[in-house]
Amino acid sequence: MPQLQSFSHMDNNLNHLMKYLDSAGLVIAVIALVTGFMGMNVGGLPWKASTNGFILTCIVALILATATGIYLKRKSFND
């Protein structure tokens, strides 16, 4: 019986780790989505002609990543 409890404990630890890594991956994916969208070489994108376009894109990406992280923290997705 103690061996089954040990496996259960390892399963819980693995589930906790995977939940944390999934949350971290989601936050990074939000940044990649914003920078990928703004990096397209097509017309009509916001801040294309602006000299501060790179900084504005970084700020938007960080704001969205922070908002995603706060949402996940409130939902206990990264205990």
Side-chain angles (χ1 to χ4, degrees):
M1 239 357 148
Q3 187 176 13
L4 290 177
Q5 290 174 348
S6 175
F7 286 140
S8 176
H9 183 68
M10 288 187 330
D11 287 344
N12 286 338
N13 286 342
L14 183 60
N15 286 340
H16 176 72
L17 176 65
M18 292 306 296
K19 196 160 102 170
Y20 179 80
L21 290 175
D22 285 343
S23 298
L26 181 61
V27 171
I28 293 170
V30 168
I31 294 172
L33 179 71
V34 171
T35 56
F37 176 72
M38 294 299 182
M40 290 189 295
N41 293 324
V42 295
L45 291 176
W47 310 315
K48 181 179 178 183
S50 173
T51 58
N52 296 326
F54 175 74
I55 294 171
L56 291 172
T57 301
C58 289
I59 289 170
V60 168
L62 289 175
I63 288 171
L64 289 174
T66 303
T68 304
I70 290 170
Y71 174 77
L72 291 172
K73 186 69 173 173
R74 286 187 180 168
K75 293 291 185 178
S76 299
F77 272 81
N78 56 354
D79 296 341

